[in-house]
């Protein structure tokens, strides 16, 4: 009888996720390493010499997954924001091997933060995560690349090269009719490209946020 | 009492398909009608247990049907015809590359029908078909990321804020 109770307790804990809590590190690691990058463009070259195929076509998004640097999703600039969310949902679903949840992920990405709890509990009827997971999630600090300036973590760029890139972004976006926002931080000039691009995509106008 | 012979797909289907396609062509049925008939037959076969269970072998009657001269192809130099499956025929099973191969090779062409439904049946053919999806490798497809590239901090922040909700949504469905 005692054995049966122990077994049932273990099954219950396992099904509720308590016994899987060590999986937290793996999933948190993935979230921490995730990068979304806006590229000026994404081009796909298709070459099959045997059949005389040599074509180039634009891509909306592209993923790279390297063992030590996690998942990086590249999104071509100047796309409708809802479409970008769908692309990201598709890549996340594929990466986490939950392809059937692509629609749910897209829905969650589109839902305002304050409505997420209602969405998950009452509309999608998804159980809560284990308490240990929630406690650990709540303690996590946002990774540095979310709070720092231009992300250069995956390159060997010098500050000079970084300045060149920032200048290039400014020039290219202005050439395209974009107006990047400038953020004054102490004595440095930093370009915060993203809010401007997103505003452009969402509203369809060249707004500066 | 009528003494009707019982119809058995394992015995009769191959002959029926062969004669029906011949009759349709002789009576001047449209290309689309013939293609639809062939697709319907292959789609029916796709519902068979051996396909659904991903069996490694197929029944002899299916193998025999896959050797018939009933498969619609679009010829690389233009036009279409019904032919037997062979190593020079490509299966357009790649959304990425189908367009690129069109006009360059002979391609199975089932019109608007969803070819992915019958690909599992075609896989039982021993004719050496080529699958376009197999050409999507790092050697044939190269993606170039055009500079400048900047981290999309805004979107990433939105995802970071939703990571708990996202994790929760698939936690119970996947082995994280």
């Amino acid at each position: 009888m005692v054995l049966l109770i122990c077994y049932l307790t273990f099954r219950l804990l396992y099904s509720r996720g308590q016994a899987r809590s060590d999986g937290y590190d793996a999933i948190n690691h993935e979230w921490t390493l995730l990068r979304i990058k806006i590229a000026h463009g994404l081009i796909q070259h298709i070459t099959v010499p045997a059949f005389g195929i040599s074509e180039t076509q634009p891509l909306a998004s592209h993923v790279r997954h390297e063992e030590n640097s996690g998942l990086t999703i590249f999104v071509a600039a100047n796309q409708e924001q809802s479409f970008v969310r769908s692309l990201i949902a598709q890549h996340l679903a594929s990466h986490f091997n939950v392809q059937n949840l692509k629609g749910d992920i897209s829905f969650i990405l589109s839902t305002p933060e304050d409505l997420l709890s209602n969405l998950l509990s009452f509309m999608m009827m998804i159980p809560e995560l284990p308490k240990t997971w929630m406690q650990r999630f709540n303690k996590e600090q946002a990774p540095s690349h979310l709070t720092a300036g231009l992300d250069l973590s995956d390159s060997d760029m010098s500050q000079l090269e970084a300045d060149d890139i920032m200048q290039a972004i400014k020039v290219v976006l202005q050439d395209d009719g974009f107006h990047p926002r400038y953020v004054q931080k102490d004595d440095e000039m930093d370009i915060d490209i993203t809010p401007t691009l997103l505003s452009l995509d969402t509203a369809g106008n060249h707004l500066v946020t | 009492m009528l003494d009707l012979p019982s119809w058995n797909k394992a015995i009769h289907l191959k002959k029926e398909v062969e004669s029906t396609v011949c009759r349709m062509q002789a009576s001047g049925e449209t290309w689309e009608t013939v293609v639809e008939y062939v697709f319907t037959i292959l789609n029916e076969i796709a519902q068979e247990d051996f396909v659904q269970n991903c069996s490694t072998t197929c029944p002899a009657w299916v193998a025999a049907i896959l050797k018939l001269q009933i498969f619609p192809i679009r010829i690389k130099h233009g036009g279409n015809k019904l032919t037997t499956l062979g190593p020079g025929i490509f299966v357009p099973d790649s959304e990425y590359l189908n367009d690129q191969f069109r006009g360059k090779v002979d391609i199975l062409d089932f019109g608007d029908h969803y070819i992915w439904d019958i690909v599992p049946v075609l896989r039982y053919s021993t004719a050496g078909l080529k699958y376009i999806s197999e050409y999507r490798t790092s050697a044939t497809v190269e993606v170039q990321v055009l500079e400048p590239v900047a981290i999309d901090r805004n979107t990433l922040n939105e995802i970071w804020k939703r990571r708990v909700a996202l994790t929760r949504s698939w936690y119970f469905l996947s082995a994280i």
Side-chain angles (χ1 to χ4, degrees):
Chain A
M1 189 63 179
V2 172
L3 277 174
L4 180 66
I5 291 170
C6 285
Y7 173 75
L8 291 174
T9 305
F10 175 77
R11 292 292 302 168
L12 183 64
L13 284 174
Y14 191 84
S15 67
R16 294 291 298 169
Q18 300 291 336
R20 296 164 68 186
S21 61
D22 55 352
Y24 172 88
D25 290 332
I27 187 75
N28 187 55
H29 191 59
E30 294 282 1
W31 288 127
T32 307
L33 291 179
L34 176 69
R35 299 283 193 280
I36 311 285
K37 292 184 177 181
I38 294 184
H40 182 59
L42 296 168
I43 305 286
Q44 179 174 244
H45 302 281
I46 301 168
T47 315
V48 189
F51 304 111
I53 296 170
S54 176
E55 293 194 19
T56 299
Q57 55 189 209
L59 272 184
S61 66
H62 173 59
V63 290
R64 280 186 191 160
H65 184 247
E66 284 150 24
E67 206 162 305
N68 297 322
S69 57
L71 180 74
T72 300
I73 302 174
F74 292 92
V75 180
N78 201 19
Q79 297 186 94
E80 171 62 36
Q81 181 61 8
S82 59
F83 181 59
V84 169
R85 277 195 292 266
S86 297
L87 293 172
I88 291 171
Q90 184 174 1
H91 291 306
L92 288 177
S94 176
H95 179 66
F96 287 103
N97 202 23
V98 286
Q99 282 89 341
N100 56 330
L101 298 181
K102 187 168 58 180
D104 291 341
I105 295 172
S106 186
F107 200 16
I108 289 171
L109 293 179
S110 310
T111 302
E113 210 185 334
D114 55 338
L115 298 177
L116 278 176
S117 183
N118 280 345
L119 172 74
L120 292 166
S121 299
F122 301 114
M123 288 179 68
M124 298 169 89
M125 314 250 274
I126 299 171
E128 294 277 357
L129 282 171
K131 278 184 182 170
T132 50
W133 280 47
M134 288 307 299
Q135 286 163 355
R136 294 178 73 184
F137 266 130
N138 291 335
K139 280 182 192 166
E140 289 291 341
Q141 298 287 319
S144 57
H145 63 269
L146 284 177
T147 51
L150 190 69
D151 178 56
L152 303 171
S153 57
D154 59 352
S155 71
D156 298 323
M157 286 181 222
S158 66
Q159 188 56 48
L160 202 59
E161 288 169 320
D163 291 342
D164 286 347
I165 281 192
M166 286 195 285
Q167 184 62 28
I169 290 172
K170 187 178 87 175
V171 169
V172 168
L173 295 180
Q174 282 177 336
D175 284 350
D176 286 353
F178 293 179
H179 305 281
R181 183 181 71 162
Y182 293 87
V183 180
Q184 194 77 40
K185 285 181 183 173
D186 301 331
D187 294 332
E188 292 177 1
M189 187 76 89
D190 183 20
I191 298 175
D192 191 345
I193 176 178
T194 306
T196 306
L197 284 176
L198 294 178
S199 302
L200 284 166
D201 294 341
T202 306
N205 299 311
H206 291 174
L207 299 175
V208 178
T209 54
Chain B
M1 196 168 196
L2 290 172
D3 184 21
L4 292 173
S6 57
W7 190 86
N8 184 330
K9 67 189 169 197
I11 300 168
H12 301 109
L13 184 58
K14 180 205 163 201
K15 213 159 230 180
E16 181 179 315
V17 171
E18 198 170 24
S19 61
T20 303
V21 170
C22 277
R23 200 172 53 245
M24 290 173 98
Q25 286 184 298
S27 64
E29 290 282 2
T30 63
W31 172 258
E32 288 75 18
T33 309
V34 178
V35 166
E36 183 165 3
Y37 171 73
V38 175
F39 185 86
T40 305
I41 295 296
L42 295 172
N43 204 19
E44 284 296 319
I45 295 173
Q47 312 310 317
E48 293 283 329
D49 285 347
F50 75 93
V51 180
Q52 298 293 322
N53 298 333
C54 303
S55 168
T56 52
T57 57
C58 71
W61 61 273
V62 174
I65 288 173
L66 290 172
K67 287 177 180 160
L68 293 176
Q69 189 179 339
I70 58 167
F71 293 90
I73 62 161
R74 180 170 295 278
I75 304 163
K76 66 178 171 184
H77 298 305
N80 42 36
K81 66 173 183 180
L82 294 181
T83 187
T84 50
L85 297 178
I89 296 175
F90 285 72
V91 181
D93 63 337
S94 169
E95 286 179 19
Y96 289 93
L97 297 177
N98 285 350
D99 286 345
Q100 278 69 38
F101 275 73
R102 212 156 277 145
K104 308 275 178 31
V105 294
D106 294 345
I107 290 185
L108 273 178
D109 184 5
F110 285 95
D112 292 336
H113 296 286
Y114 194 66
I115 194 154
W116 283 271
D117 287 344
I118 60 166
V119 165
V121 179
L122 297 172
R123 292 267 178 200
Y124 288 104
S125 168
T126 54
L129 285 172
K130 295 195 172 64
Y131 294 84
I132 292 180
S133 60
E134 290 171 6
Y135 288 84
R136 191 168 180 240
T137 65
S138 56
T140 55
V141 180
E142 183 193 358
V143 175
Q144 187 182 356
V145 179
L146 301 183
E147 301 280 351
V149 177
I151 197 156
D152 184 349
R153 210 179 311 143
N154 197 21
T155 302
L156 206 44
N157 259 315
E158 292 303 315
I159 294 174
W160 178 259
K161 287 180 204 162
R162 286 166 175 74
R163 75 195 193 287
V164 177
L166 290 166
T167 306
R168 183 175 158 189
S169 75
W170 62 63
Y171 178 84
F172 292 94
L173 297 173
S174 66
I176 293 170

